[in-house]
Amino acid sequence: MTRRRRIYEGKAKVLFEGPEPGTLVQYFKDDATAFNGEKKSTITGKGVLNNRISEHLMNRLTEIGIQNHFIRRLNMREQLIKEVEIIPVEVIVRNIAAGSICSRLGITEGTSLPRTIIEYCFKSDELNDPIVSEEHITAFGWASPEELDEIMAMSLRVNDFLCGLFIGIGIKLIDFKLEFGRFFDGEEIQVILADEISPDNCRLWDSETNEKLDKDRFRRDLGGVEDAYQEVARRLGILPESGPGDLKGTTAIQ
Ligand code: TMP
């Protein structure tokens, strides 16, 4: 193991100092948590799959001009990313009701929403990521009104693009969570997409059967968590038909 400076450790990822200034290495763990860390386990191979899935989706978003932190994948569990100052707001984009919106507003899971709904949560483990409004975000200075407009516009573009991408492989994009950061590029400050996009932070249902292919399998003890993540990777065309190989990380997935 090389000795690298650990910058930050979250529930599912670790950030290390990168090889050049302005870069970081994002390491994907197999650890899974839910309900703000109350429920914990490991899902063998999850880190390897999320590294690949997030790489794939960030690259597709780069192709359509959505600026994001992804630079390149380094190995099975690590990717090189641009260092950003994370905006402490989780952006949740919902197309179909599931999860917390159902209990909060008394909506049956699976109900199509009248239109795409964006919600914001303040990133704070101590406070359990409370839902907040645009007013809180701008009044407390977590993001400026201009930054928030940009975040909203980018989130809707990401949603449109990902809905189409997933529909093409027989998956409905129910909802997902995004995070954004400030990238300091010389004189300029740019808001770019950060974090990851994977079955850990998306709800993905099979279009035909509505089978859940995401972290709800873990949150709700439905079993088959690894299989679901692998199925998403397989449909995205980033796993060989023959199987995933060694997801613990010793052999390469091509
Ligand atoms: P929710 O229904 O629990 O509010 O979750 C909405 C979406 O956001 C769902 O796809 C899961 C994702 N999410 C995260 O990625 N991290 C979180 O901490 C939470 C609460 C949700």
Side-chain angles (χ1 to χ4, degrees):
M1 263 304 258
T2 45
R3 240 172 244 253
R4 288 178 301 189
R5 199 153 71 89
R6 192 179 283 242
I7 306 283
Y8 173 81
E9 176 150 10
K11 290 185 282 256
K13 295 187 293 288
V14 187
L15 295 178
F16 295 98
E17 196 172 51
E20 301 125 44
T23 66
L24 296 176
V25 173
Q26 179 164 252
Y27 175 96
F28 288 75
K29 301 191 272 186
D30 281 346
D31 296 354
T33 69
F35 315 116
N36 199 17
E38 254 175 63
K39 181 180 170 117
K40 281 194 189 117
S41 188
T42 50
I43 300 169
T44 309
K46 175 174 83 79
V48 175
L49 288 164
N50 282 355
N51 186 21
R52 275 302 235 139
I53 293 170
S54 199
E55 170 195 22
H56 181 81
L57 297 176
M58 291 291 187
N59 277 334
R60 298 293 79 76
L61 290 169
T62 301
E63 285 165 4
I64 62 152
I66 307 263
Q67 308 274 3
N68 63 75
H69 74 166
F70 182 82
I71 302 173
R72 66 174 184 277
R73 187 166 59 87
L74 298 172
N75 56 50
M76 298 280 281
R77 287 187 183 273
E78 294 177 330
Q79 46 183 245
L80 187 67
I81 58 169
K82 292 178 183 169
E83 183 172 23
V84 296
E85 179 183 271
I86 286 287
I87 293 171
V89 172
E90 299 195 341
V91 180
I92 295 175
V93 182
R94 299 183 186 272
N95 298 304
I96 293 174
S100 69
I101 197 173
C102 296
S103 43
R104 205 171 346 109
L105 301 180
I107 306 173
T108 307
E109 185 160 90
T111 307
S112 282
L113 296 168
R115 59 177 168 83
T116 299
I117 293 177
I118 297 195
E119 294 174 344
Y120 302 103
C121 295
F122 176 48
K123 254 176 90 67
S124 162
D125 283 343
E126 300 88 86
L127 301 173
N128 206 3
D129 297 346
I131 190 161
V132 292
S133 73
E134 296 185 21
E135 282 289 281
H136 298 93
I137 296 170
T138 53
F140 292 117
W142 301 325
S144 69
E146 296 74 29
E147 286 174 334
L148 198 51
D149 282 351
E150 187 141 350
I151 286 170
M152 167 101 127
M154 281 172 85
S155 300
L156 290 173
R157 276 193 75 202
V158 171
N159 184 49
D160 284 348
F161 179 77
L162 291 185
C163 275
L165 182 147
F166 280 116
I167 276 297
I169 55 170
I171 290 174
K172 285 193 269 194
L173 179 59
I174 306 300
D175 60 29
F176 58 98
K177 185 260 298 186
L178 298 176
E179 293 187 27
F180 293 85
R182 295 182 190 97
F183 176 60
F184 296 84
D185 191 7
E187 301 279 278
E188 260 187 60
I189 305 177
Q190 229 186 324
V191 172
I192 66 173
L193 181 62
D195 192 48
E196 70 176 297
I197 307 179
S198 74
D200 265 16
N201 51 23
C202 299
R203 285 198 173 90
L204 304 167
W205 294 1
D206 180 87
S207 307
E208 299 271 294
T209 64
N210 283 340
E211 187 191 355
K212 296 181 199 309
L213 300 172
D214 57 60
K215 196 173 153 192
D216 269 351
R217 301 206 71 84
F218 166 72
R219 294 188 190 99
R220 302 180 188 190
D221 294 319
L222 301 174
V225 191
E226 295 105 289
D227 288 350
Y229 281 55
Q230 266 178 46
E231 180 60 16
V232 173
R234 193 189 63 74
R235 291 194 199 182
L236 286 169
I238 52 182
L239 268 193
E241 289 296 322
S242 57
D246 179 3
L247 288 179
K248 290 191 188 72
T250 47
T251 52
I253 295 174
Q254 285 310 325

